[in-house]
């Protein structure tokens, strides 16, 4: 669920399903490449950071970087948590209103925690807002999350996952979440990301609120 997804403690593997040695090496390499990329971007900016520099910092070859991430933008954007969120959405109580289920899962997926992952989420949101290449790649890749949401929404509501209504709803959700991330970055991450997600979902569910715009939304 790029660029907003961050791992949650409940998604940590247990001893029983911990990956094997080969998979752990792959995870270690991906993590090293990502950590090197984030560090270099913080030091010198996105445009000045090259794949060769990333490879050198991560102690791998440039071909290894490209084997794990087809483009530099993918290093920043790619995550592996959509399947976890899809499973959580399907696991919500059957009698829970689907809108409440969506709200619960999407809040879990925005990565609004503190600490290291919070810093990564803020960096991602800033890059999506400021770097056209990252924003363009984000628009391409976010369709994956939209298809995931469409499948889960269709399963919960009994609609056709390829039906127009489900597709429009799923696209509205992922588009709205992308706007949330951009708004958050444009306003220096002053508001809680979870609160902004709630505001966006309120608009999608109930329409624009009555009365004057709040806070930063007031026109100059």
């Amino acid at each position: 669920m790029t660029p907003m997804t961050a791992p949650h403690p409940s998604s940590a593997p247990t001893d029983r399903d911990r990956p094997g040695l080969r998979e752990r090496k792959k995870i270690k390499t991906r993590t090293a490449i990502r950590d090197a990329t984030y560090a270099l971007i913080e030091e010198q900016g996105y445009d000045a950071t090259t794949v060769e520099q990333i490879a050198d910092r991560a102690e791998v070859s440039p071909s290894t970087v490209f084997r794990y991430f087809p483009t530099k933008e993918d290093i920043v954007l790619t995550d592996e948590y959509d399947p976890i969120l899809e499973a959580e959405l399907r696991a919500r109580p059957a009698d829970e209103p689907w809108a409440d289920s969506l709200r619960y899962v999407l809040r879990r997926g925005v990565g609004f925690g503190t600490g290291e992952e919070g810093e990564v989420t803020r960096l991602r949101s800033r890059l999506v807002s400021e770097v056209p290449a990252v924003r363009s790649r984000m628009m391409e890749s976010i369709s994956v999350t939209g298809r995931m949401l469409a499948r889960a929404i269709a399963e919960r509501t009994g609609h056709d996952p390829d039906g127009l209504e489900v597709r429009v709803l799923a696209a509205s959700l992922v588009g709205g979440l992308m706007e949330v991330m951009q708004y958050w970055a444009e306003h220096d991450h002053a508001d809680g990301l979870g609160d902004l997600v709630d505001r966006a979902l309120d608009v999608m569910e109930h329409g624009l609120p009555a009365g004057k715009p709040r806070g930063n939304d007031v026109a100059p």
Side-chain angles (χ1 to χ4, degrees):
M1 193 172 188
T2 359
M4 51 215 71
T5 306
H8 189 278
S10 66
S11 65
T14 63
D15 290 338
R16 183 172 56 186
D17 58 10
R18 192 174 299 279
L21 178 60
R22 183 177 180 182
E23 187 60 29
R24 291 202 302 274
K25 286 182 177 179
K26 290 182 178 180
I27 294 171
K28 184 177 180 181
T29 300
R30 290 175 70 88
T31 301
I33 293 170
R34 279 194 180 137
D35 289 348
T37 304
Y38 297 144
L40 285 165
I41 291 172
E42 289 283 18
E43 292 169 12
Q44 61 188 27
Y46 181 84
D47 290 335
T49 298
T50 67
V51 171
E52 288 73 21
Q53 291 173 330
I54 294 168
D56 184 64
R57 179 72 66 94
E59 299 184 341
V60 299
S61 67
S63 62
T64 297
V65 175
F66 284 121
R67 187 163 67 248
Y68 282 84
F69 302 98
T71 70
K72 187 173 73 171
E73 291 78 26
D74 288 325
I75 305 176
V76 176
L77 296 174
T78 306
D79 60 52
E80 295 83 25
Y81 300 102
D82 277 357
I84 295 171
L85 295 174
E86 183 176 7
E88 288 199 358
L89 188 54
R90 287 189 165 124
R92 298 303 298 164
D95 59 349
E96 181 177 61
W98 68 265
D100 293 345
S101 299
L102 279 174
R103 187 180 296 268
Y104 171 84
V105 172
L106 292 178
R107 278 196 60 119
R108 288 284 297 274
V110 294
F112 58 90
T114 58
E116 181 180 355
E117 285 298 335
E119 289 300 317
V120 169
T121 304
R122 284 186 283 276
L123 174 61
R124 282 181 166 188
S125 71
R126 192 171 73 244
L127 292 175
V128 168
S129 176
E130 298 174 355
V131 181
V134 175
R135 186 162 57 252
S136 176
R137 186 64 172 170
M138 178 61 173
M139 293 301 295
E140 294 176 15
S141 63
I142 203 169
S143 62
V144 176
T145 298
R147 289 194 296 271
M148 177 275 289
L149 284 172
R151 288 194 303 268
I153 292 170
E155 185 174 295
R156 287 295 302 270
T157 62
H159 288 80
D160 178 1
D162 197 42
L164 176 63
E165 291 79 7
V166 171
R167 290 172 61 174
V168 168
L169 176 58
S172 299
L173 286 167
V174 294
L177 290 172
M178 187 166 177
E179 286 299 319
V180 165
M181 295 297 289
Q182 188 156 336
Y183 178 95
W184 191 48
E186 289 171 354
H187 293 84
D188 298 321
H189 308 107
D191 298 304
L193 185 51
D195 292 336
L196 293 179
V197 169
D198 274 340
R199 284 175 58 185
L201 292 174
D202 284 343
V203 171
M204 293 179 202
E205 189 173 355
H206 305 296
L208 288 172
K212 295 181 179 179
R214 67 172 80 183
N216 291 326
D217 295 335
V218 178

